[in-house]
Amino acid sequence: KSLLSMDLRTKSVLSQRDVKRVSAHVQSISTVQDMVKERIDSPSSGQDIEVAEMLQRLIKGLGSVKSGVSVEFEGEEFSANARTASSLAVIVTEVLFNALSDCRSSVTVRLSRDGEGLGKIAITDDRPDSNEEEAGDATGQSSSGGGTLVQFLARADFKREVAYRRVEDTFEAEISFPL
């Protein structure tokens, strides 16, 4: 609801991209909600969310954003609590939606963790340099408010920021989060 509200405050008519983006966020929250329900229904599995499984479901759900795009997932399996998973779902959906919309042909989602209790998600795409400006600002986030929400959640829930950078011929967004 907050994304839709942000979009409507700045625009009188939503573009097809905006409608797809809001729909993707609704679907991402539904994905996490389904996973939480599955855990509750199966008490032996605990109530934490498997992050790799969640990311793979989000990737699958966003598959229709742009045809002809290859999305690769790399990562190890570990879990996070439902609140962390919910915030990650919103952050990843926004960043991944922009990567899929702006890339030429490929996106890679990498999941890892360090030995200090932090998980990390890096989303890399092959967008051309000029699309950074078209996407909104130097962060590669659209100007429709999604980037604001991403940074707000990262700061509020993880005490971190999403880092954006150009690495050779790729554009990368990276978020670290507590496990």
Side-chain angles (χ1 to χ4, degrees):
K1 180 181 174 188
S2 63
L3 271 174
L4 187 57
S5 296
M6 280 192 282
D7 283 346
L8 289 174
R9 274 185 280 170
T10 60
K11 304 173 186 175
S12 59
V13 176
L14 293 178
S15 69
Q16 184 176 2
R17 178 182 165 133
D18 291 334
V19 171
K20 279 185 175 181
R21 197 169 109 280
V22 170
S23 176
H25 280 286
V26 170
Q27 185 176 0
S28 73
I29 296 301
S30 176
T31 295
V32 174
Q33 196 172 25
D34 289 347
M35 292 180 78
V36 168
K37 184 177 181 330
E38 289 168 12
R39 298 311 182 270
I40 290 170
D41 291 346
S42 175
S44 63
S45 66
Q47 292 189 9
D48 284 351
I49 302 297
E50 297 297 327
V51 179
E53 179 186 351
M54 179 190 75
L55 291 175
Q56 290 169 333
R57 288 187 187 190
L58 293 175
I59 290 166
K60 184 178 179 183
L62 287 169
S64 64
V65 169
K66 184 176 180 181
S67 63
V69 174
S70 164
V71 180
E72 292 185 33
F73 174 79
E74 305 167 359
E76 57 187 289
E77 187 62 69
F78 55 87
S79 59
N81 65 48
R83 176 162 176 98
T84 297
S86 296
S87 294
L88 281 175
V90 173
I91 291 168
V92 167
T93 297
E94 181 65 25
V95 174
L96 186 55
F97 183 90
N98 287 328
L100 289 166
S101 297
D102 297 332
C103 74
R104 290 184 188 114
S105 62
S106 67
V107 176
T108 302
V109 178
R110 285 185 313 282
L111 173 65
S112 61
R113 63 179 167 179
D114 65 16
E116 300 176 23
L118 289 177
K120 181 170 72 172
I121 297 171
I123 299 174
T124 306
D125 67 73
D126 63 351
R127 78 181 69 176
D129 286 331
S130 62
N131 272 6
E132 288 177 42
E133 289 181 23
E134 291 171 20
D137 58 23
T139 68
Q141 293 297 295
S142 66
S143 57
S144 61
T148 303
L149 179 63
V150 162
Q151 290 298 6
F152 173 80
L153 285 173
R155 287 182 197 121
D157 290 351
F158 307 143
K159 308 297 185 246
R160 305 200 174 304
E161 291 198 6
V162 178
Y164 299 96
R165 64 185 156 271
R166 177 150 295 281
V167 180
E168 297 177 16
D169 292 336
T170 63
F171 187 79
E172 182 177 83
E174 181 179 280
I175 180 66
S176 296
F177 54 95
L179 297 173

